[in-house]
Structure formats: structure tokens, C-alpha cells
Amino acid sequence: MFYLKVIAANRTFFSGFAESVIFQSHDGRQQILSHHENLVIALDEGMIDITPAEHAGNGSAENNDGHLTGLAGRGFAEVVNNRVTIILESCEKPEEIDVRRAEEAKERAEEKLRQKTSIQEYYHSRASLARAMARLAAAKKNN
């Protein structure tokens, strides 16, 4: 096991001992286990799955199989000396997602992509669409 701290812009999502953490990086899904080599890695938007250590009483809301799941925004992970620190733009539990708001954001982003815009606006709209779709997928997975 290792010490894990997941910090979002508005709160600490998880702090305590964990057996594993899985997140989305630019190269695909990555899993960190205890005694992983030291590294710093950029994270993409996607699901984050934490397996807390059995005796860790951190007060986090876990699902039925003992895992803590969240929808993570972009950020960075640092692994040093069996300690993992993940800093994210946002991280929310699937039950916290407002499905109606996510669907509206998806529709807005799709409409902007259909319009002829600058390359910067295109990438911004594409990122907004990806965020909205990830939120909808996370909310659907929770139900």
C-alpha cells in the first residue's frame, strides 16, 4: 500500500492509504501500485478509480466493491517514495453530476463544432464536448 492524496481545485477528493489508483493519461489508462517508480505524468479527463487500503478509515464514499470512483479533470500525478499526489482541475463523484446540465453542455459543444470557427475555438469546443460526454458516461455508470 502507499499514501495517496487526490486534490481538486475545490476540495480534497481522497487522502489516505490506497492499494491502487487508476487514471487516464495521454498514453491511456495508467495504474499505480505500491513501490511504483518515481514519475510525474500529465492526466487527461476521465475516470479515476481508487482502491483504498482495507484498514484506512478515510471517510470516503465507496461503492459496493470497495472502490472509490470519480470523474477527474485534467491535471498531474507525482509518484515519489511510495507517495502519490494527484492535482486535478476538478474531481466529482458520479452521483454529484447534474445529467441535465451535462446534456445541455454536450448540445452546445456539438453546435459550436458544426459552425465554422477558428482552430482555437474548435479545440475549445472539442474539449467541452469531451468533458460533457465523460460526465454523462460517469453518471450513466452510476445508475
Side-chain angles (χ1 to χ4, degrees), residues 46-116:
M47 298 301 292
I48 183 167
D49 299 307
I50 300 167
T51 305
E54 290 182 34
H55 68 279
N58 55 34
S60 298
E62 298 171 10
N63 62 21
N64 293 338
D65 61 0
H67 291 227
L68 176 64
T69 303
L71 178 64
R74 292 180 180 209
F76 291 91
E78 176 190 51
V79 181
V80 177
N81 295 329
N82 212 32
R83 296 176 68 85
V84 180
T85 304
I86 299 175
I87 300 174
L88 302 165
E89 291 175 345
S90 64
C91 194
E92 50 193 339
K93 297 173 185 165
E95 59 270 12
E96 297 172 344
I97 295 172
D98 183 351
V99 175
R100 184 183 54 78
R101 188 170 149 231
E103 287 173 347
E104 290 172 357
K106 178 182 175 235
E107 290 172 11
R108 280 192 308 272
E110 288 173 338
E111 179 59 34
K112 280 191 172 188
L113 285 173
R114 283 191 284 274
Q115 298 171 358
K116 292 186 178 184

Side-chain angles (χ1 to χ4, degrees), residues 1-140:
M1 99 179 105
F2 58 93
Y3 185 78
L4 171 65
K5 190 162 195 171
V6 180
I7 304 166
N10 61 346
R11 68 174 172 184
T12 299
F13 184 76
F14 180 88
S15 180
F17 288 94
E19 294 178 6
S20 108
V21 61
I22 303 171
F23 49 75
Q24 184 70 35
S25 75
H26 294 293
D27 296 331
R29 301 273 293 161
Q30 302 283 331
Q31 181 176 28
I32 304 294
L33 299 169
S34 64
H35 303 291
H36 193 283
E37 69 179 341
N38 295 346
L39 70 94
V40 174
I41 188 167
L43 307 183
D44 269 346
E45 295 149 344
M47 298 301 292
I48 183 167
D49 299 307
I50 300 167
T51 305
E54 290 182 34
H55 68 279
N58 55 34
S60 298
E62 298 171 10
N63 62 21
N64 293 338
D65 61 0
H67 291 227
L68 176 64
T69 303
L71 178 64
R74 292 180 180 209
F76 291 91
E78 176 190 51
V79 181
V80 177
N81 295 329
N82 212 32
R83 296 176 68 85
V84 180
T85 304
I86 299 175
I87 300 174
L88 302 165
E89 291 175 345
S90 64
C91 194
E92 50 193 339
K93 297 173 185 165
E95 59 270 12
E96 297 172 344
I97 295 172
D98 183 351
V99 175
R100 184 183 54 78
R101 188 170 149 231
E103 287 173 347
E104 290 172 357
K106 178 182 175 235
E107 290 172 11
R108 280 192 308 272
E110 288 173 338
E111 179 59 34
K112 280 191 172 188
L113 285 173
R114 283 191 284 274
Q115 298 171 358
K116 292 186 178 184
T117 59
S118 70
I119 193 72
Q120 183 180 5
E121 290 171 333
Y122 167 79
Y123 284 120
H124 180 73
S125 297
R126 198 172 77 173
S128 296
L129 179 60
R131 263 191 313 276
M133 291 179 70
R135 295 178 96 199
L136 289 170
K140 206 174 285 185

